Amino acid sequence: MDSKSSGRNSVVIGSTKLAACKVCKELVEEIKRSGFGDQDIFAIHLALEEGLVNAVKHGNGFDPDKSVQIKWEITDSKFDITIADEGEGFEPSALPDPRSDENLEKTGGRGVLLMRSYMDVVEFNDKGNRIHMVRYRGGQDGAAKPTPGD
Amino acid sequence: MDPKILVEYINNVTVVTLTDEKILEDVDIKALEESLLPLIDQNSGLHMILNFKDVKFLSSAVLGLLIRVSKKVFESDGQLRLCSIDPKIAEIFRITRLDKVFDICADVDEAAASLD
């Protein structure tokens, strides 16, 4: 039962690293207040950091005319978030695997892998400019989970 | 700018302790890079240990920085070891397979002993 649901919340931020960091910190504080365990907090914090930075940087390209919409819900059982940018989007299945030998020493491209590894649900819209993630309380870490449509 | 690293010289080894608990923001990463790269540039064949004992959180952007540092050390005929990594952060290295790229040791003593 989701008796302690905080309800659906949303915020729109500008395409700056500062705005992304601010909302990330606020959400992490909310998660802490909601009684999630240390491992859940670490996992959600990491996924938020990667997802929000991806949206303002890779999605909107720090364009001041574009914004990022964030919707989230915290319940007894889960943290559920959707992050949508106004960028061109991308094809998640076309991302090179950063764990393969030829990519291992590249300096980028690990954000999506980490989100998939630490969140229980990670799914993109068709355009690739909106990500939906869920972390259940006490979720498992360590394996990148396949995403429908990838 | 606050100091982001503590540098100690033990025998021929440069031990760099990352002093931030969380390494996240571009400015933190840039400050780290600007602190670390000159150490490598100024010391060919540098034996460097990066001590993570205080670090409790980092993002994928930091992993990119570590790879740049590692390449720089290698190009200057040096050696790099990472040590004292929190188990949660060690998991990030394992998931990304960067535990195969970096030489990761339990602590500074083990890291120092492993350098040629």
Side-chain angles (χ1 to χ4, degrees):
Chain A
M1 294 291 289
D2 293 340
S3 58
K4 290 183 183 173
S5 172
S6 63
R8 199 76 181 166
N9 302 286
S10 67
V11 67
V12 176
I13 63 169
S15 300
T16 67
K17 191 78 194 297
L18 189 65
C21 287
K22 183 171 180 286
V23 76
C24 183
K25 281 178 186 169
E26 289 170 356
L27 284 172
V28 169
E29 286 307 312
E30 190 174 339
I31 292 156
K32 286 178 179 174
R33 287 195 301 273
S34 301
F36 280 83
D38 285 348
Q39 190 62 38
D40 288 333
I41 294 167
F42 183 90
I44 294 168
H45 189 177
L46 186 60
L48 284 175
E49 181 71 26
E50 302 294 343
L52 290 167
V53 169
N54 275 356
V56 299
K57 185 178 181 179
H58 301 302
N60 287 351
F62 298 124
D63 185 339
D65 293 329
K66 292 178 178 174
S67 59
V68 173
Q69 184 173 57
I70 304 150
K71 295 180 179 177
W72 73 98
E73 184 178 34
I74 298 173
T75 72
D76 273 359
S77 62
K78 67 179 182 180
F79 171 76
D80 184 310
I81 187 165
T82 300
I83 301 169
D85 63 60
E86 297 184 279
E88 294 300 312
F90 73 110
E91 176 52 58
S93 63
L95 283 179
D97 186 345
R99 299 166 297 184
S100 63
D101 289 342
E102 65 269 25
N103 296 324
L104 210 45
E105 295 190 19
K106 290 186 176 170
T107 55
R110 296 181 177 82
V112 172
L113 168 66
L114 290 176
M115 288 188 281
R116 283 184 168 152
S117 299
Y118 281 92
M119 298 299 275
D120 295 300
V121 174
V122 176
E123 46 194 17
F124 294 88
N125 64 344
D126 288 343
K127 187 176 179 184
N129 67 347
R130 186 176 71 227
I131 184 170
H132 172 229
M133 299 188 283
V134 178
R135 169 83 184 195
Y136 296 103
R137 290 184 194 251
Q140 296 294 309
D141 303 324
K145 301 160 189 75
T147 302
D150 283 1
Chain B
M1 181 67 67
D2 293 332
K4 302 295 179 187
I5 58 174
L6 171 68
V7 184
E8 300 168 283
Y9 300 95
I10 303 174
N11 297 324
N12 291 325
V13 178
T14 302
V15 181
V16 179
T17 301
L18 309 178
T19 55
D20 279 341
E21 189 171 302
K22 294 179 182 177
I23 310 173
L24 283 175
E25 299 181 22
D26 284 349
V27 64
D28 297 332
I29 294 166
K30 193 164 188 294
L32 250 183
E33 186 155 10
E34 288 174 351
S35 302
L36 290 173
L37 295 187
L39 285 175
I40 303 164
D41 286 337
Q42 293 158 14
N43 299 280
S44 181
L46 180 71
H47 285 182
M48 177 186 274
I49 297 171
L50 287 181
N51 186 352
F52 281 75
K53 70 181 181 66
D54 297 325
V55 179
K56 301 299 178 195
F57 192 89
L58 52 74
S59 66
S60 65
V62 180
L63 301 177
L65 166 64
L66 293 176
I67 290 169
R68 289 195 293 277
V69 167
S70 172
K71 286 179 176 173
K72 192 96 174 169
V73 171
F74 182 76
E75 286 165 7
S76 67
D77 297 321
Q79 294 182 42
L80 177 68
R81 301 288 185 270
L82 312 185
C83 76
S84 306
I85 296 179
D86 180 273
K88 287 194 183 78
I89 300 208
E91 181 72 1
I92 293 177
F93 280 85
R94 191 190 67 73
I95 288 168
T96 55
R97 287 190 71 223
L98 288 178
D99 57 343
K100 310 297 180 195
V101 172
F102 296 108
D103 290 308
I104 298 175
C105 302
D107 52 35
V108 170
D109 289 343
E110 184 184 307
S114 73
L115 292 163
D116 297 334

